[in-house]
Amino acid sequence: MNTLIILGAGQFGKKAAGLLRQEKIHLLAFGDNNSSLWETRLSGIPVMSIEQAVGLEADLALIGVTDHERTNALKSQAEACGFRGRFLLLEELYQFFDIRSATLHFMAKRLEECRTAGAIAELGVYKGDTAWKLNALFPQRTLYLFDTFQGFDTRDISVEESRSFSKAATGDFSDTSEETVLSRLPFPEKAVIRKGFFPDTADGLEKEHFALVSLDADLYAPILAGLEFFYPRLSPGGMILLHDYNNSRFRGAHEAVDSYEARHGGLPLVPLCDLHGSAVIIRPYQL
Ligand SMILES: C[S@@+](CC[C@H](N)C(=O)[O-])C[C@H]1O[C@@H](n2cnc3c(N)ncnc32)[C@H](O)[C@@H]1O
């Protein structure tokens, strides 16, 4: 059986470990430069310094980050420590394959096949990467786009800080605009921009129904508000693609689901194996 070390024990490295074919690959250790992680375990696997991990003489080293600069830095560090095996680059998987996007494609197919009625929406649009996909997948349907277009709001950040959910800051993701997003959409005439603080921007849409909602606001308060607003308004068979449900960098998403379930009972939720830890929630045909 091949042996492997993962260099980089952050969100992506941990999620990559979950994608391994464990019957064929034996994960020996995570290596990381953050010394506060050394001598801890992630799902039972020890975390150690890069040097110690390389010293295990694994056959393979997966570089568990996705940006090019950090990928190169970790690779060079492992080489300098004497790594002689083969490198696998998560950066390449991330660049060419996208589990979340592929799932979205099949969700859309299913919704069209089942003739699930309703509009499409995204809460948390930023520069419109997911909005573009939603608009392309549903050219005939109204696409509501909810965002401050000025980044995270202080009210939401104060909750993150007081409950230590994330290190997010007011104004993160502010380098965008509704014009930028609209200009890149394939069917901009189907888009309805709802600019401002959610849930205030849902006012007036109480009677609307949704077939598919992408919930990608990162933070506890807007995600909980999003579940409260959208879930009861999903058409039967309708779906929410919830980003970050299993993301250790944005714990508010999981906490928001927990809070919603404590108030209203369990949600039919399926976690995905993408690197961001997304999940799909489906509105049953019969409640
Ligand atoms: C991770 S980004 C979204 C990424 C986007 N879905 C994509 O495909 O690239 C999160 C977005 O949520 C928005 N957001 C967070 N809280 C919000 C709130 N209370 N009201 C409106 N927008 C909010 C931020 O402004 C930010 O643009």
Side-chain angles (χ1 to χ4, degrees):
M1 187 185 280
N2 275 316
T3 53
L4 172 84
I5 53 172
I6 297 183
L7 304 182
Q11 163 71 15
F12 289 157
K14 281 187 278 184
K15 285 285 171 291
L19 288 171
L20 289 176
R21 293 187 66 182
Q22 293 184 20
E23 77 284 9
K24 300 223 178 247
I25 299 173
H26 181 204
L27 175 57
L28 301 177
F30 287 95
D32 203 283
N33 285 316
N34 180 353
S35 57
S36 69
L37 295 175
W38 299 348
E39 294 178 25
T40 64
R41 283 179 175 266
L42 291 174
S43 305
I45 306 296
V47 186
M48 53 190 69
S49 69
I50 301 287
E51 193 173 3
Q52 276 179 307
V54 167
L56 297 175
E57 298 186 355
D59 305 310
L60 304 161
L62 173 70
I63 304 295
V65 295
T66 54
D67 64 283
H68 193 55
E69 215 169 282
R70 288 177 64 218
T71 296
N72 280 345
L74 277 171
K75 199 165 166 262
S76 304
Q77 193 181 352
E79 280 165 346
C81 292
F83 182 69
R84 301 265 172 271
R86 184 176 150 210
F87 284 106
L88 303 173
L89 305 186
L90 193 60
E91 180 196 14
E92 290 184 348
L93 173 76
Y94 189 66
Q95 197 177 346
F96 298 113
F97 300 98
D98 183 351
I99 293 167
R100 184 168 62 189
S101 187
T103 305
L104 196 57
H105 174 84
F106 285 109
M107 289 166 75
K109 187 165 177 280
R110 164 88 184 160
L111 291 167
E112 293 294 20
E113 281 168 2
C114 295
R115 297 196 169 83
T116 308
I120 311 300
E122 177 161 68
L123 167 56
V125 176
Y126 186 40
K127 294 186 177 177
D129 284 0
T130 310
W132 187 94
K133 286 171 200 148
L134 292 169
N135 192 224
L137 286 167
F138 296 96
Q140 314 293 342
R141 303 206 196 203
T142 300
L143 171 63
Y144 291 100
L145 296 175
F146 297 88
D147 204 299
T148 60
F149 295 101
Q150 294 175 337
F152 294 146
D153 187 280
T154 317
R155 288 166 278 185
D156 296 334
I157 291 300
S158 65
V159 180
E160 296 295 301
E161 287 172 354
S162 66
R163 299 183 63 179
S164 302
F165 286 152
S166 68
K167 294 193 171 120
T170 300
D172 284 356
F173 295 103
S174 59
D175 57 334
T176 185
S177 70
E178 61 274 35
E179 291 84 8
T180 312
V181 172
L182 280 174
S183 70
R184 62 182 292 212
L185 293 181
F187 306 101
E189 69 283 2
K190 301 306 288 182
V192 177
I193 298 282
R194 287 269 169 163
K195 179 176 176 169
F197 181 72
F198 189 91
D200 297 356
T201 47
D203 281 358
L205 294 178
E206 292 77 8
K207 296 220 164 75
E208 185 60 278
H209 282 88
F210 299 90
L212 178 60
V213 178
S214 165
L215 203 43
D216 190 13
D218 291 358
L219 313 178
Y220 173 82
I223 293 174
L224 180 54
L227 290 170
E228 294 281 4
F229 181 77
F230 290 113
Y231 187 66
R233 291 176 178 80
L234 283 181
S235 303
M239 303 180 198
I240 292 176
L241 178 61
L242 172 62
H243 302 234
D244 303 317
Y245 175 67
N246 275 315
N247 187 336
S248 50
R249 282 184 59 223
F250 292 105
R251 292 193 305 104
H254 203 300
E255 295 282 342
V257 170
D258 292 349
S259 297
Y260 185 92
E261 292 186 317
R263 283 181 202 169
H264 303 286
L267 286 166
L269 180 150
V270 181
L272 302 183
C273 61
D274 65 323
L275 294 181
H276 294 87
S278 308
V280 178
I281 301 170
I282 305 183
R283 174 87 192 245
Y285 283 92
Q286 288 177 333
L287 290 174

